[in-house]
Amino acid sequence: MTTKTTLIETPAGPAKAMVLNMGPQHPSTHGVLRVVLELDGEIVLSARPEIGYLHTGIEKSCESKTYSQCITLTDRIDYLAPLSNNLGFCLAAEKLIGIEVPKRAQYIRVLLTELTRITSHLVWLGTHAIDLGAMTVFLYSFREREEIMKIYEYVSGQRMMTSYFRIGGLALEPPPDWLDRVRRVMDALPGHIDEYEDLLTQNRIWMARTKGVGCLSAEDAIAIGASGPLLRGSGVAYDVRKAFPYSSYDEFDFNVQTQTAGDCFARYQVRVAEIRESIKIVRQAMEKVTPDGPFRAEAPGIIPPSREEMKTSIEGLIYHFKIFTEGFAPPPGEVYQAIESPRGELGVFMASDGSAKPYRVKFRAPSFVNLQSLPKLCEGRLIADVVACIGTTDIVLGEVDR
Amino acid sequence: MGFISQHPVLVAAVVKIAVLLFIVMTALAYLTWLERKVIAHIQSRWGPYNVGAHGLLQPLADGLKFLFKEDVTPPTADRFIYTLAPFLALSLGLTTIALIPFGPPSVLFPNGQQIFSVVDLNIGLLFLFAITSMGVYGVALAGWSSNSKYALLGGLRSSAQMISYEVSLTISVVGVVLLAGTLNFNELIGGIPHGSTGQTGYWLHFIPKWNVIPQFVGFLCYLTAAIAETNRVPFDLPEAETELVAGFHTEYSAFKFAMFFMAEYANMITVSCLATILFLGGWLSPFPASWTWQNYLPGAGLLLLAVYCAWNTVSEMRGIARLQLGVVTLLAGGGGLICLYPPIAAGIQGPFWFTAKILAILFFYIWMRATLPRFRYDQLMSFGWKLLLPVSLANLVITAFVIVWPLLRKG
């Protein structure tokens, strides 16, 4: 790759700017992002993100797997919000096939994806804080995240790679007392968020490090196609959950959090407020989830029959066998389904050629799109601001590279 | 015997240096342990726990690890300077401790030499600043000679930062020097015969006359500048891990890295000692000398520690950890009993209070590290030059004016 080095004026004549490779092995590029910085002293002249170090070929792999098998791959796209990816993929597949998911399963999905949003924002808060030197917040937020991870584990058997949402509903009936656990965590969480805010929000150093740093105007944000907290921090109230409701989000009462400043502090405020909004949604979902009812749709040949049916009826056994050996074939067609993942608009495009395996799956990854804002955020600023800017764009490299 | 009696100064100095070096090196090692433990508990985790009871052998394990790691020198580095830098940093860091009086000068060896300070210079403060100013060379040379961009940036930041804060650091203590009229550490604490009374005596019979009260602004300036001078959070930009990987010592490994590490902690101890001497009354007790019960505080404290360790040994520790903590219990208990012996109890008063004050300041340091985010380079500079320096200058001017005013009125 050829790079034209910027020339800078010095008292001794023009000189080449120092090129600094930040990453792919660097403590605060959040994985394996490489940013090529051109520096004049501490000032960043240009910043160019280089991606591809975590390319796993997930989209391509999906083409050789049945629709159900793809779900386990989606966990690994944005590994901080596996359930959001599951949801996006399942909704797209359901749209392609034309299945209506039972309300109870939809509410459980909403509840769990909002928990995912909370864990993802907690990880973001912790890592962003440690990037700016406030190490304690990191450990506090991971402590709370752990409690929510325990809920995942209780419900799905897995802490991170849950694969809990399946086409047509959920993988399993959740354990009977799981809502009590959720309630316990949700009762404790607001107090902990106050703790983080006590440590950060009014902290003079924190404000100095984030206010006015990494400004992104609403026009620029829209122009690059940014979404999620990055867009809302710039004052655009766009949220897929409100704009194009899915999975019964229209039945929930919540606000889209926005800030107008468009700097790192605004994005921090948006995310912290979103954690509180998510707690609100989780509480509403807990009211709506009934103790019993179907947890997946009835669609013979597409959705596996219940365990009992499989063991007792011949049709059940045949369907079960066929689904798990050769999958199911949706009608030919193309769908696009967007959801609001913690990082922004996660779109899933899916094309079917009528076979049991998708012809093409494409994820419109919010991290990938939001990463484009990085040069705009940090050019002309100091090295320390690059770290803050990478932090508040909240990228997950697994999702950027897929 | 002839040699020893003929060279009392030399012999006493060698003995004191050996003992002090041992104590300081151990203190450095256990300061890292303390830091990890305190921060861990602030962050609701355990910290070192497995290497020895309560991780007490962790510093030893770390030291061994540093010794046995491969010592890599980057091929493009300037080998001589690259090797020189850590030695410079550590030796300068340790030299300053020789100047510190850990106890009153009245406690003497049989041959008439002071026990508690290696050298009692009449320009102690000036000499100490001279040495600490050299400390920047260790960092700058390391950053330069590594021939690495991160190290270079770290070294640049560090040089700028240490030079800037050196100014405020020095000016903030001049007020104290004006009050005392001396640069000798013992005289700064205990006063000059027929001159200032140092920090002895009491206001209203119970407030100790420590400089922290008249020089409170100076104390705050000193503490802030000292944190910056030692590159600690929130001023740890030279080694800002999340920005510059490890700053000026990015390329250092094995024991050279350990030397920078030790130098940083030695500097922390030095500036804490200086804060104690200048502002917190050094080895003076906060209580009047007539309260003789205070002589038994160190012994009682150690005995309490022994009781706690004994209880912990029996109730929680298992296996080898029980043995290790048992040894700690015996050491603390034995030490406590020795400290209760009246002549010793009276003799260790000075070091006891001195250490207690240093520990309080070090705890503050560690607490800061667990709480605050890091400044940005330009903010650090503007904080140093635009806020800290004017405030410490104003403090100096006002102090000077208050001292001179009575003389002026007399005409």
Side-chain angles (χ1 to χ4, degrees), chain A residues 125-174:
Chain A
L125 181 64
T127 50
H128 180 47
I130 206 169
D131 284 349
L132 298 189
M135 63 194 289
T136 300
V137 177
F138 174 76
L139 286 135
Y140 284 177
S141 62
F142 266 65
R143 178 185 66 192
E144 268 64 76
R145 173 178 182 254
E146 198 54 40
E147 295 303 311
I148 299 179
M149 296 303 242
K150 282 181 192 159
I151 295 175
Y152 291 168
E153 189 178 10
Y154 191 55
V155 172
S156 73
Q158 285 283 334
R159 290 172 76 254
M160 282 186 75
M161 302 304 155
T162 47
S163 296
Y164 184 61
F165 299 160
R166 299 289 163 83
I167 295 163
L170 310 171
L172 303 159
E173 171 71 27

Side-chain angles (χ1 to χ4, degrees), chain A residues 19-22 26-28 41-42 130-136 139-140 143 203 205 208-209 213 381-385 387, chain B residues 39 41-45 149-150 152-153 157 233-234 237 241-245 369-379:
Chain A
V19 178
L20 182 70
N21 266 316
M22 203 167 173
H26 188 279
S28 53
E42 289 252 340
I130 206 169
D131 284 349
L132 298 189
M135 63 194 289
T136 300
L139 286 135
Y140 284 177
R143 178 185 66 192
N203 187 322
I205 305 177
R209 286 301 304 276
V213 172
R381 304 203 62 89
L382 299 167
I383 301 178
D385 292 335
V387 171
Chain B
I39 291 186
H41 284 271
I42 288 175
Q43 296 173 340
S44 69
R45 47 191 182 93
K149 288 168 184 173
Y150 285 118
L152 176 68
L153 283 169
R157 280 184 178 189
V233 172
L237 296 112
E241 188 189 326
T242 46
E243 295 156 26
L244 300 182
V245 188
R369 177 165 171 211
T371 312
L372 291 179
R374 181 185 306 120
F375 273 107
R376 202 173 60 203
Y377 181 64
D378 59 326
Q379 292 161 350

